[in-house]
Amino acid sequence: MTSIDKFRNTTNGNAESYAVYLGNSNERYFDDNIGVKIDMTDMYEMTSDTKYLDRAELVWDFILTGMNDKMGGGVHWKEFGNSKNMCSTAPAALSRKALFSNE
């Protein structure tokens, strides 16, 4: 886990997530982080190691910052972006179900 954790950051004091490059001043994409969240959830289900669940929840907190009712709802494609796409909205809906399947 140490390799991917090198990409964790907070940009402008926002929720922590995984960035494209190392450092705090680069872009963070919601669709990329949703993929990380899905993988972390799968790893948790395979191993029962809570570090994977913790990382999935960390990413989910970031994804929530990209959701709003503008343009009919959904998840933005990238942080500080103006577009919403299927590549971020649909997997976010599915990954929420996977993370919170015990509700």
Side-chain angles (χ1 to χ4, degrees):
M1 289 303 298
T2 58
S3 292
I4 193 168
D5 285 335
K6 292 177 183 178
F7 292 86
R8 284 170 60 172
N9 74 36
T10 57
T11 299
N12 297 325
N14 292 338
E16 187 173 3
S17 71
Y18 295 91
V20 177
Y21 302 105
L22 299 177
N24 278 333
S25 61
N26 62 73
E27 295 182 313
R28 302 185 307 171
Y29 290 80
F30 291 105
D31 63 326
D32 294 345
N33 275 275
I34 292 166
V36 170
K37 187 214 160 284
I38 291 168
D39 289 344
M40 294 296 174
T41 302
D42 289 346
M43 290 296 296
Y44 170 71
E45 290 175 353
M46 289 188 289
T47 66
S48 298
D49 188 334
T50 58
K51 71 180 176 190
Y52 298 113
L53 183 59
D54 293 342
R55 286 170 175 84
E57 290 172 344
L58 174 138
V59 172
W60 184 249
D61 290 342
F62 171 69
I63 293 165
L64 290 175
T65 70
M67 292 183 185
N68 58 45
D69 293 332
K70 294 177 185 175
M71 297 183 283
V75 180
H76 285 276
W77 174 55
K78 70 177 188 172
E79 190 174 32
F80 309 116
N82 294 322
S83 66
K84 291 185 178 177
N85 301 300
M86 188 280 302
C87 68
S88 53
T89 298
L94 293 174
S95 70
R96 184 203 184 281
K97 182 178 178 188
L99 181 60
F100 301 103
S101 61
N102 294 329
E103 290 183 345

